[in-house]
C-alpha cells in the first residue's frame, strides 16, 4: 500500500495550488486524483472537501467514521499507479490550524 510521503501544507490564498502544480510536473511526483484530500483533518462529517470533483467514487465515501485500515486503503487508492514514483504528494491547506 502506497500512501503519501510528501505533504504540501500551506495557507489559503498562498499559491499552494501553483506550487503543487509545479511539483506535480516532476516525473517522480504523483499528486493523486485531486488536490486537497484533507485526510488528516479528522473531521467526522466530510473529510474530503473536494470529493465532488473526484471521479473515483471511493473518495466520496471517505470519513473517519470508518475503520482506519479501510481509510488507509482508500487513501492509497487516491494514488493509482504511483508505485513507480518516488513521492506521493498530499497538498491540503486545511492541515494548518
Amino acid at each position: 500500500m502506497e500512501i503519501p510521503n510528501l505533504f504540501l501544507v500551506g495557507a489559503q490564498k498562498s499559491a499552494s495550488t501553483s506550487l503543487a502544480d509545479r511539483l506535480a510536473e516532476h516525473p517522480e511526483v504523483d499528486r493523486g486524483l485531486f488536490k486537497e484530500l484533507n485526510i488528516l483533518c479528522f473531521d467526522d462529517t466530510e473529510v474530503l472537501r473536494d470529493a465532488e470533483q473526484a471521479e473515483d467514487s471511493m473518495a466520496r465515501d471517505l470519513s473517519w467514521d470508518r475503520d482506519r485500515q479501510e481509510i488507509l486503503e482508500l487513501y492509497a487508492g487516491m494514488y493509482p499507479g504511483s508505485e513507480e514514483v518516488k513521492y506521493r504528494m498530499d497538498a491540503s491547506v486545511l492541515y494548518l490550524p
Side-chain angles (χ1 to χ4, degrees):
M1 176 171 34
E2 301 290 342
I3 60 173
N5 57 359
L6 172 64
F7 294 88
L8 174 59
V9 181
Q12 294 179 350
K13 302 295 182 191
S14 66
S16 61
T17 299
S18 296
L19 180 56
D21 290 343
R22 287 291 294 214
L23 289 170
E25 290 174 4
H26 194 281
E28 298 258 359
V29 176
D30 181 3
R31 185 163 86 172
L33 294 178
F34 56 96
K35 183 179 172 279
E36 297 194 34
L37 293 171
N38 299 319
I39 188 70
L40 302 177
C41 291
F42 301 100
D43 184 354
D44 287 336
T45 55
E46 185 179 2
V47 173
L48 299 176
R49 186 181 63 173
D50 296 331
E52 310 84 54
Q53 299 174 10
E55 294 179 14
D56 198 318
S57 63
M58 66 183 168
R60 291 187 284 275
D61 296 334
L62 191 57
S63 74
W64 282 106
D65 305 9
R66 296 172 171 257
D67 175 76
R68 300 220 187 240
Q69 182 62 33
E70 183 180 1
I71 291 170
L72 288 175
E73 290 170 8
L74 291 170
Y75 193 25
M78 298 295 114
Y79 299 86
S82 69
E83 296 81 21
E84 306 86 42
V85 298
K86 188 172 184 178
Y87 300 103
R88 286 160 298 286
M89 178 174 55
D90 181 349
S92 300
V93 299
L94 295 182
Y95 293 159
L96 288 179

